[in-house]
Amino acid sequence: MARVHLTQRTDSYHFSQRRSRFPLHCSVLIFSFLCWLIAALLLIGYLGLQQQRHLPSPASQKRILERHAGQPPLRRLPRASTSKPRGTPLPPAPITPFPSTLEEQIAALQAKDRFFYGGSSQLPEIALTFDDGPNPPYTTQVLALLKHYGIPATFFCVGSQVAAYPELVKQEAAAGYTIGNHSWSHPLLTSLSNAEIMTQLTTTSDIIQRTTGVRPTFFRPPYGALNAQVLTQVNRLGLTTFIWSDGSLDWTMIGPDAISNQVLSNVANGAIILMHDGGGNRWRTVAALPSIIESLQARHFRFVTLAQLVADTHVKAVSQSSLLASADPLNPQGYIRRRSRRVGLV
Ligand code: ZN
């Protein structure tokens, strides 16, 4: 009976029906080995394919890199809800007709208490605001410090971060802090179309409402960047816009002492202080917080949420003597000083 044998030439193997150089059992062994080798290669290939399916796509990897570079992701927005939110009060009606220029729009919104650079210059109130979170471990550390000192704050959250860390937002809400809309992925809203702006705002309000049970009514534009197109969409949604009057510059990665000095040198009655618990490594912000809080408390400022700051905007029933008693001893005229506040109009 003719048998198939494996013989070797100079550089290759070939089958031959000539006289066998190997006994039958050697051929069977080699054939079995080859079968196992092929099976192993197929298995390795399959496992590799499965592994690849669990790896982020190139677009996702790009988003992850951007996030680690301090730039939140730009794409993949969830579908915006098309129905009215249930269980929450309706937002204020849009101002109509709404002006076409940014200056006029801001004036119209300010007249309706829907646009703020700061609170009442008559009251020694301070609003700490933290942007770009939630973002462990810094949000947790900020919350622990706020609890330690017994003071409130406001968090302008990025929608994609809320989706990633819902428990942190629930903690913020459970503590009674105000939670605002800071867009879904922190883009420069001024570079987006009307539809894209609306999606950024609506999807973020949706995820905050699903997470906390409360639909946000406060909004802060990423980078403080506004134009007439953005404010038109903000007005359509009835959101109240908050810029800030006292930037900590913590996003520039200056040290904790520099952050503290920056905040304390610009503080005044009704100040809205801008800080960050997300968007990068915020250990400097966390490290600066105790000295900022203790210094402001020593100067008899009272910490409030932005909701309280808005509620107190028109409060003027404060006597001159109580104002002087509560005024900043390092800046006794601070309660009547009003900084010229203008947002960078982009
Ligand atoms: Zn931001």
Side-chain angles (χ1 to χ4, degrees):
M1 184 177 72
R3 291 200 307 237
V4 176
H5 297 293
L6 195 62
T7 61
Q8 187 173 17
R9 286 182 173 168
T10 54
D11 58 350
S12 65
Y13 290 98
H14 74 285
F15 290 99
S16 163
Q17 292 187 2
R18 292 180 298 161
R19 190 172 64 89
S20 170
R21 293 185 181 178
F22 298 104
L24 176 61
H25 67 275
C26 286
S27 301
V28 171
L29 278 175
I30 291 171
F31 181 73
S32 300
F33 172 75
L34 288 173
C35 288
W36 279 107
L37 185 63
I38 291 168
L41 289 173
L42 288 173
L43 182 63
I44 290 170
Y46 173 77
L47 291 176
L49 199 62
Q50 292 298 311
Q51 176 79 5
Q52 195 170 6
R53 284 176 183 169
H54 289 85
L55 289 175
S57 65
S60 297
Q61 292 176 33
K62 182 170 180 285
R63 285 196 300 275
I64 292 168
L65 290 173
E66 286 169 345
R67 183 179 302 174
H68 283 283
Q71 290 292 327
L74 296 175
R75 298 292 176 200
R76 188 172 289 185
L77 305 180
R79 185 184 298 274
S81 71
T82 54
S83 59
K84 291 274 186 241
R86 287 179 291 179
T88 57
L90 291 174
I95 295 173
T96 53
F98 196 56
S100 57
T101 70
L102 182 58
E103 295 276 359
E104 291 172 333
Q105 289 176 348
I106 290 175
L109 289 167
Q110 284 178 316
K112 296 281 188 181
D113 283 345
R114 283 159 63 173
F115 192 104
F116 292 90
Y117 296 106
S120 170
S121 60
Q122 306 291 305
L123 300 175
E125 291 183 340
I126 298 293
L128 287 179
T129 64
F130 295 91
D131 287 12
D132 300 355
N135 182 39
Y138 310 109
T139 302
T140 306
Q141 294 167 352
V142 168
L143 287 171
L145 284 171
L146 295 174
K147 184 178 180 182
H148 173 77
Y149 287 102
I151 62 173
T154 299
F155 293 85
F156 283 100
C157 295
V158 172
S160 59
Q161 294 293 105
V162 177
Y165 307 108
E167 291 305 317
L168 290 176
V169 183
K170 288 178 183 175
Q171 289 178 37
E172 294 169 355
Y177 304 153
T178 303
I179 296 171
N181 181 328
H182 196 44
S183 81
W184 179 265
S185 57
H186 209 276
L188 196 62
L189 292 176
T190 53
S191 67
L192 303 185
S193 68
N194 285 339
E196 289 171 328
I197 294 167
M198 186 59 81
T199 301
Q200 285 278 336
L201 300 180
T202 306
T203 52
T204 303
S205 289
D206 288 348
I207 190 72
I208 291 174
Q209 182 179 7
R210 280 201 302 272
T211 305
T212 67
V214 178
R215 193 165 188 82
T217 58
F218 290 179
F219 162 70
R220 174 175 283 161
Y223 314 105
L226 286 173
N227 60 14
Q229 201 177 357
V230 173
L231 268 191
T232 298
Q233 305 310 313
V234 169
N235 178 55
R236 284 180 60 193
L237 294 174
L239 293 170
T240 299
T241 301
F242 291 86
I243 309 301
W244 58 86
S245 62
D246 190 354
S248 64
L249 297 183
D250 60 347
W251 55 273
T252 64
M253 302 299 179
I254 56 178
D257 289 343
I259 292 172
S260 179
N261 291 337
Q262 181 67 27
V263 169
L264 298 175
S265 63
N266 288 302
V267 76
N269 280 0
I272 297 176
I273 298 174
L274 170 66
M275 306 183 87
H276 294 81
D277 62 322
N281 187 329
R282 299 306 181 197
W283 73 266
R284 300 169 184 83
T285 304
V286 174
L289 260 185
S291 68
I292 291 173
I293 293 170
E294 290 173 14
S295 296
L296 292 175
Q297 285 179 330
R299 291 159 70 173
H300 304 290
F301 283 109
R302 185 169 66 250
F303 292 90
V304 296
T305 63
L306 281 183
Q308 187 63 47
L309 199 83
V310 169
D312 293 345
T313 296
H314 300 295
V315 171
K316 292 183 169 58
V318 182
S319 69
Q320 185 72 4
S321 58
S322 63
L323 273 175
L324 287 173
S326 61
D328 174 8
L330 300 178
N331 180 19
Q333 297 303 308
Y335 65 93
I336 58 172
R337 182 165 66 90
R338 189 73 170 185
R339 294 179 60 237
S340 174
R341 293 160 177 159
R342 284 180 61 82
V343 65
L345 305 182
V346 180

